[in-house]
Amino acid sequence: MASYAESLLAPGETVVLRSHQHPLSLLLDSRYGLLSWVVAIVAALVYLFVAPGVGIIHDAAVWVFWVAIVLGALITAFNYWVWRTEEYLVTNRRLMKVTGVINKRSADSSLEKINDVVMEQGPLGRMLGYGTLQVSTASDSADLRYETMRSPAEFRRAMLDQKMEWESADARQIA
């Protein structure tokens, strides 16, 4: 089954590179789910060491444990779903950014309209292989920002290669 992004491609348009956000962004977005699991661990410790046996603290620790486990799993699963459905594509004609789980949002820019690309990577981003790309286009309202992107240099290189390919094909048609 083709992805939603592939259903948006024009006839003859091919995907050159597909990327997503770095897995670190999933970890950061799931911080409340992870915090919920920490609460579950604390509740388990209370159950085992503070209130062994029967009592209100014992019963509350059991309830807190199970609610925190389920809540953490739901939060993390939803964030994984969101992370997995966000796609960044370079095609032979344009850049695309597709987001959304139920309500999809697609932003794209033709390769010929790209004016500038700014890549930002801090020391941790260089070590772990993530960064941010800001693509400026001829119309300032259509700028694309790719946050916490996996392998931004590879994406930038593929985009610029396709732009040069597009421009040289355009020059051959004119000549």
Side-chain angles (χ1 to χ4, degrees), residues 93-134:
R93 296 182 185 174
R94 60 186 166 156
L95 291 180
M96 294 177 66
K97 179 180 180 179
V98 178
T99 59
V101 174
I102 296 170
N103 294 325
K104 294 290 192 177
R105 182 176 187 278
S106 168
D108 59 69
S109 181
S110 175
L111 291 172
E112 65 189 75
K113 303 292 184 195
I114 295 172
N115 290 336
D116 193 24
V117 181
V118 176
M119 183 173 75
E120 298 172 4
Q121 272 189 305
L124 187 61
R126 287 192 305 276
M127 286 190 307
L128 297 177
Y130 72 88
T132 299
L133 279 182
Q134 175 72 37

Side-chain angles (χ1 to χ4, degrees), residues 2-137:
S3 71
Y4 179 77
E6 289 175 357
S7 72
L8 300 174
L9 298 179
E13 188 173 14
T14 59
V15 175
V16 175
L17 181 70
R18 179 186 314 271
S19 188
H20 293 276
Q21 283 190 315
H22 193 274
L24 181 64
S25 68
L26 174 61
L27 186 67
L28 295 173
D29 290 342
S30 297
R31 63 188 171 273
Y32 295 119
L34 299 173
L35 179 64
S36 182
W37 287 335
V38 169
V39 169
I41 291 170
V42 170
L45 292 174
V46 166
Y47 173 82
L48 292 173
F49 298 113
V50 176
V54 182
I56 193 162
I57 294 175
H58 179 269
D59 294 342
V62 170
W63 278 102
V64 168
F65 174 80
W66 285 112
V67 168
I69 288 290
V70 170
L71 188 62
L74 290 173
I75 291 170
T76 304
F78 179 76
N79 285 326
Y80 175 77
W81 191 18
V82 169
W83 175 78
R84 192 72 191 114
T85 58
E86 186 163 323
E87 291 184 284
Y88 307 142
L89 290 97
V90 176
T91 73
N92 58 338
R93 296 182 185 174
R94 60 186 166 156
L95 291 180
M96 294 177 66
K97 179 180 180 179
V98 178
T99 59
V101 174
I102 296 170
N103 294 325
K104 294 290 192 177
R105 182 176 187 278
S106 168
D108 59 69
S109 181
S110 175
L111 291 172
E112 65 189 75
K113 303 292 184 195
I114 295 172
N115 290 336
D116 193 24
V117 181
V118 176
M119 183 173 75
E120 298 172 4
Q121 272 189 305
L124 187 61
R126 287 192 305 276
M127 286 190 307
L128 297 177
Y130 72 88
T132 299
L133 279 182
Q134 175 72 37
V135 180
S136 299
T137 61

Side-chain angles (χ1 to χ4, degrees), residues 152-170:
E154 180 184 356
F155 191 86
R156 181 176 183 261
R157 193 175 313 112
M159 176 186 58
L160 294 175
D161 287 348
Q162 288 305 306
K163 181 174 172 60
M164 289 176 60
E165 181 79 27
W166 177 267
E167 289 171 350
S168 65
D170 197 32

